[in-house]
Amino acid sequence: MTFLKLGFRSLFRQKRRTAVSLLVLTFGIGCLLLTDSHSRYIEWGLRESTIHSETGHLQVFHRDYFRREETRVLELGLENFEALRADLLRLPDVSLVQARIEFMGLISNGEKSVACLGQGVEPDLERRMRGLFRIGGATYEALAAHGDDPHVIALGEGLAKSLGAGPGDSVTLMSTTADGALNAMDVTVAAVFHGAASDYDKRAVIVPLRTARLLLDSEKAGSLVVTLDLTEKTDRAFAAIEKLVRDKSYPVVLKKWFERAAYYRQVERFYRQVTGVLTVVLFLIIFFSTSNTILMAVVERTPEIGTLLALGTNRRQTLATFLSEGLWIGLIGGLLSAAFAFLATSGLNALSITLPPPPGLADGYPLAFRMSWERTGIIVLGTIAAAGLASILPTLRATRMKIVDALGHI
Amino acid sequence: MIPAPAAGRDLSAPVAVLAGVSKEYVLGKTKVRALRNIDLAVNRGEFLVLAGPSGSGKTTILNLLGLIDKPDSGRVIFGGKNTVPLGLNALAPARRDSIGYIFQAFNLIPVLSVFENVEYPLILRRVPAGERRRRVESALEKVGLSHRRKHRPSELSGGERQRTSIARAIVKNPAVVLADEPTANLDSETGATICDLMRRLNRNEGATFVLSSHDPRIIGTGRRIVRLRDGAIEGIEEQGG
């Protein structure tokens, strides 16, 4: 306890030097925490928006869907999926189950034809899925407003521009049916939407599920999308659905959301790498800064080290004194940086700043932060450990001194 | 571990003995013979003064008796055992338990208060808190510093700092208190007071003191005076009282 007290009080001997060390630590680790909190926000926001606008938490496919390529559209679709949907909806964590069909086709305004990527959806369920994360669902509302009318379509912004079409205009949608025949439908543009990526907007169309089934001449669904009440329940729900599928011998296979979210995985990897590099750089700065502070302390206090050793302090206790000084710097710096990061994230979140869109994306994104106390705790502990480690080498120098030399040191 | 020369042992045996001790230092490119074949026994309860000019070997003898340095040859017997083969770290318990040090420059720990400086050797010995407090208060009372217990060394005069240093040395009831030029950094009046204090502690408490000095007034207080010159004992004088 005495060595901790000695270490703590020694921080005040050279107040300016200690203050500089603490400033380096506070701003360095504070910025690391800010970066980490922003990455956490981006990952969380992207995760939830990916789930609630694209993947759901789980997806159900025909069991051979990932084993071989389809030779015809919906060859590996889900037949009689309503029974499975009813069973899924009876599970406790499941909020929504909607069917989807993906298809490729051509869309024409009579003068110009453009290749398109189509998605057949249940507009009302899609709107509700987005509503769970408060994502706007205007496109789906517009489609749902037409009730059972299958002759409606929503166009991506780029595609609408390319065709010169807008809401109320009529276009022709063409594709091959499940039997391989060519089929076409006249549809009215109910909405124009813009997705996150501008390239996607130039090809994307959304139609009601019924429209897709008529166009493709099939009663199947491509997949079922399962949305849960909480993302954290994904593993539990996965296990429950697997059991259900096994018990009732449904010929399906399950995928978790992140297996179907390649973009999310790329972004997550990118942010982890950025944070990782920053962490290494900042911890090196902390290491050398603390090491320098302790080395200076050892050099300046050499006669005092001699006195302590002459009084009967052993080398381990001398080590503890200087090591504790480094640990105190780490602890105080770590706590100050956590406080700094907390205040900065709270302030910046309150300002609601929006950053410009990155290349390839249509929208900007908020400069927002999601501080994790668990990760903050780990980083603060890491700071203490780094400062402690940084103190070891200069402290060993102190403990190896000859007592008479240390006492006579000027 | 070197046993402390304490109760239960032969009280007539010397506290420490230097037997045939020699020591050389290298200063730049020249070798300096600091001690030449010194034989000296420090007896329990005595007030021994090492006298001599600078470079005569006083501090080297104190360093050897204080177990913070090693001779090139000869034996340093402390608590009945030859300490020369042992490493300085292994001798830390003997320094902690049996030796009190008073330095010329006081060498107090600046971030600790007077009380905490005096308490420090007892913490090293793991003395329980209650007993620590009692012993520190008693030591401060003996040196007349009870009223300054909460002050830091920087807030004390030179004499008060040296009295704190004396209290730190005697608080653990060591077998021997070693004082290296304890009055050199003090004015003559304060130096005399400090010397009187050490003599009183020797007389009243039975504490064994070994002092080094080249100040004739301090030397005159010694009951046994060992005169040194060029690392050798020139003569030993015994004085009454």
Side-chain angles (χ1 to χ4, degrees):
Chain A
M1 201 62 197
T2 295
F3 306 111
L4 278 177
K5 186 162 74 178
L6 257 178
F8 180 75
R9 290 198 190 166
S10 294
L11 294 180
F12 300 97
R13 296 183 198 227
Q14 289 286 344
K15 293 191 183 91
R16 191 179 297 174
R17 190 193 303 146
T18 304
V20 169
S21 289
L22 289 176
L23 272 177
V24 169
L25 240 78
T26 302
F27 284 105
I29 297 299
C31 289
L32 175 64
L33 284 168
L34 278 179
T35 308
D36 185 65
S37 304
H38 183 56
S39 303
R40 300 277 300 169
Y41 174 82
I42 295 287
E43 284 174 25
W44 170 80
L46 187 62
R47 182 188 81 179
E48 293 301 317
S49 64
T50 300
I51 288 168
H52 290 93
S53 65
E54 288 179 41
T55 62
H57 290 99
L58 297 159
Q59 293 188 0
V60 184
F61 296 90
H62 186 280
R63 71 175 161 214
D64 292 332
Y65 187 83
F66 296 100
R67 287 185 188 160
R68 60 185 172 90
E69 289 293 316
E70 289 179 323
T71 53
R72 290 191 307 274
V73 68
L74 286 178
E75 181 191 354
L76 297 175
L78 299 170
E79 285 180 287
N80 305 318
F81 61 87
E82 288 298 351
L84 174 56
R85 169 150 53 188
D87 280 339
L88 290 172
L89 283 169
R90 274 193 283 275
L91 293 173
D93 302 324
V94 174
S95 295
L96 294 169
V97 180
Q98 64 262 43
R100 283 184 189 163
I101 294 172
E102 312 277 340
F103 63 93
M104 288 188 290
L106 282 172
I107 189 162
S108 171
N109 61 2
E111 293 174 356
K112 182 180 180 184
S113 297
V114 179
C116 66
L117 295 166
Q119 191 175 48
V121 300
E122 294 172 292
D124 189 51
L125 293 176
E126 295 285 345
R127 183 185 58 75
R128 283 167 58 192
M129 180 174 86
R130 280 156 180 79
L132 291 174
F133 192 56
R134 291 187 223 142
I135 301 173
T139 305
Y140 300 98
E141 271 177 38
L143 290 173
H146 287 77
D148 288 340
D149 180 6
H151 299 282
V152 288
I153 192 166
L155 302 180
E157 206 168 37
L159 183 58
K161 195 174 169 187
S162 171
L163 293 172
D169 291 340
S170 184
V171 290
T172 304
L173 183 61
M174 291 169 277
S175 184
T176 51
T177 66
D179 295 330
L182 192 62
N183 197 8
M185 283 178 79
D186 288 331
V187 287
T188 303
V189 178
V192 174
F193 63 90
H194 76 272
S198 49
D199 283 348
Y200 173 72
D201 277 359
K202 291 177 185 168
R203 293 279 178 267
V205 303
I206 300 171
V207 295
L209 190 72
R210 188 154 169 256
T211 309
R213 289 164 84 177
L214 283 170
L215 182 69
L216 304 176
D217 192 22
S218 171
E219 291 301 308
K220 294 178 183 176
S223 63
L224 288 179
V225 175
V226 180
T227 308
L228 309 173
D229 51 2
L230 267 180
T231 303
E232 286 68 27
K233 293 179 179 174
T234 302
D235 288 339
R236 194 169 82 176
F238 183 86
I241 297 173
E242 272 208 320
K243 182 174 185 304
L244 169 76
V245 166
R246 215 169 33 245
D247 291 349
K248 296 209 170 185
S249 303
Y250 284 116
V252 297
V253 65
L254 275 178
K255 291 285 175 188
K256 289 179 188 171
W257 67 271
F258 57 83
E259 296 178 85
R260 306 290 295 159
Y263 179 66
Y264 171 84
R265 291 201 305 272
Q266 282 174 1
V267 172
E268 184 192 41
R269 193 159 54 239
F270 169 75
Y271 275 104
R272 296 227 164 143
Q273 282 169 350
V274 168
T275 310
V277 170
L278 198 63
T279 303
V280 170
V281 170
L282 286 169
F283 273 87
L284 279 175
I285 292 171
I286 292 165
F287 186 88
F288 289 117
S289 165
T290 311
S291 188
N292 180 56
T293 303
I294 301 297
L295 183 62
M296 295 289 281
V298 167
V299 170
E300 283 172 3
R301 304 214 301 266
T302 297
E304 188 177 312
I305 293 165
T307 306
L308 293 176
L309 292 170
L311 290 177
T313 313
N314 60 35
R315 303 212 184 274
R316 193 168 41 81
Q317 290 163 327
T318 311
L319 185 91
T321 305
F322 282 89
L323 197 62
S324 77
E325 203 168 323
L327 291 173
W328 277 116
I329 290 174
L331 176 67
I332 297 169
L335 292 177
L336 284 175
S337 61
F340 165 75
F342 176 74
L343 291 174
T345 53
S346 304
L348 288 167
N349 279 341
L351 289 174
S352 301
I353 298 167
T354 301
L355 295 174
L361 293 182
D363 296 325
Y365 61 97
L367 178 65
F369 302 87
R370 195 173 159 87
M371 226 172 141
S372 150
W373 289 113
E374 186 189 335
R375 285 180 67 83
T376 302
I378 290 169
I379 288 174
V380 170
L381 284 176
T383 307
I384 297 168
L389 276 175
S391 313
I392 287 178
L393 271 181
T395 306
L396 282 176
R397 176 193 154 119
T399 61
R400 285 181 190 146
M401 284 177 190
K402 281 186 173 177
I403 303 172
V404 283
D405 291 345
L407 282 169
H409 180 91
I410 299 170
Chain B
M1 180 176 159
I2 304 294
R9 297 180 64 81
D10 180 7
L11 294 178
S12 64
V15 174
V17 176
L18 302 183
V21 164
S22 294
K23 176 86 181 169
E24 278 185 355
Y25 289 113
V26 177
L27 266 180
K29 288 181 179 174
T30 53
K31 279 187 178 176
V32 178
R33 293 197 73 181
L35 293 179
R36 302 161 192 242
N37 200 27
I38 297 285
D39 291 307
L40 179 68
V42 178
N43 300 311
R44 192 170 309 282
E46 78 170 326
F47 197 85
L48 187 153
V49 176
L50 301 171
S54 292
S56 60
K58 304 186 295 291
T59 300
T60 308
I61 288 180
L62 285 177
N63 289 343
L64 293 173
L65 290 173
L67 308 181
I68 61 174
D69 202 0
K70 297 275 179 182
D72 294 333
S73 62
R75 289 177 300 151
V76 177
I77 296 162
F78 197 91
K81 283 199 173 175
N82 181 15
T83 62
V84 174
L86 299 172
L88 289 175
N89 197 44
L91 293 170
R95 291 194 296 272
R96 179 193 66 198
D97 297 338
S98 309
I99 298 166
Y101 237 107
I102 300 167
F103 299 92
Q104 178 181 335
F106 325 126
N107 291 31
L108 299 174
I109 300 165
V111 292
L112 299 183
S113 67
V114 165
F115 187 96
E116 290 165 335
N117 264 287
V118 177
E119 186 186 27
Y120 183 80
L122 300 181
I123 292 172
L124 291 180
R125 294 180 71 175
R126 298 178 190 275
V127 174
E131 193 189 338
R132 259 192 344 246
R133 197 176 314 112
R134 188 183 57 72
R135 286 171 67 171
V136 172
E137 280 168 3
S138 165
L140 288 176
E141 205 170 305
K142 284 174 192 166
V143 300
L145 271 184
S146 296
H147 63 296
R148 304 288 262 169
R149 70 178 67 189
K150 288 183 181 168
H151 290 74
R152 294 276 175 97
S154 59
E155 298 163 341
L156 304 177
S157 67
E160 287 173 327
R161 289 182 203 188
Q162 197 58 299
R163 280 193 276 156
T164 307
S165 180
I166 292 169
R168 180 176 67 183
I170 62 166
V171 73
K172 57 188 177 186
N173 298 325
V176 60
V177 176
L178 306 171
D180 189 10
E181 305 268 10
T183 60
N185 278 8
L186 303 173
D187 60 69
S188 56
E189 191 182 337
T190 312
T193 311
I194 291 296
C195 201
D196 285 347
L197 174 63
M198 288 189 287
R199 283 293 278 134
R200 199 168 63 243
L201 288 167
N202 168 253
R203 215 168 26 239
N204 299 345
E205 310 286 329
T208 308
F209 275 85
V210 180
L211 279 70
S212 73
S213 182
H214 56 260
D215 181 343
R217 284 174 304 173
I218 305 298
I219 294 166
T221 62
R223 275 197 285 175
R224 190 153 67 113
I225 302 161
V226 176
R227 295 202 180 269
L228 297 162
R229 181 171 293 278
D230 298 330
I233 294 176
E234 200 177 42
I236 297 178
E237 301 164 23
E238 302 270 354
Q239 297 195 133

